[in-house]
Amino acid sequence: MHIEHVALWSNDLERCIEFYRQYFGATPGARYVNSKKGFESTFLQFSSGARLEVMKTNTLHPVVLDAGAQRMGLTHLAICVGSDSRVDELTRELQGAGHAILDGPRRTGDGYYESVVLDPDGNRIEITG
């Protein structure tokens, strides 16, 4: 067994897709649109095979939390970029582009080298080495 994918709501699919493509090398698949249900989605594929579905709706009203809010349930995505130096580089790049850096880069008590950033929709992303 394995996790097939994780899904995130977004208010701006293009912005969200571009964030994961530009900074994490995700490859977007075909856009799925169901006009009757007011739903759009795109699967983003990472080089590891992991997939992230980003979705938008105009008929449902997903609960909007404060950016970076700690919550019960899914609280962050961890994306491994391969090395501590790449964590440093990508964190600087994201910060320079105006993305919020919440923590790090640092070595955690459980041995990870990571920084925590927010994606454009306020989701917490752990960038690990």
Side-chain angles (χ1 to χ4, degrees), residues 31-52:
R31 178 76 56 98
Y32 169 73
V33 178
N34 185 326
S35 299
K36 192 173 191 176
K37 291 191 174 192
F39 177 81
E40 296 179 47
S41 75
T42 299
F43 279 94
L44 303 173
Q45 177 103 24
F46 295 87
S47 61
S48 67
R51 296 188 326 149
L52 180 64

Side-chain angles (χ1 to χ4, degrees), residues 74-113:
L74 183 65
T75 190
H76 70 262
L77 298 176
I79 300 176
C80 180
V81 296
S83 70
D84 294 357
S85 63
R86 184 66 185 127
V87 172
D88 293 340
E89 292 167 14
L90 185 53
T91 302
R92 282 192 300 273
E93 186 179 344
L94 286 159
Q95 188 169 38
H99 295 283
I101 310 300
L102 301 184
D103 197 9
R106 67 186 183 96
R107 179 84 46 205
T108 65
D110 54 0
Y112 280 97
Y113 187 75

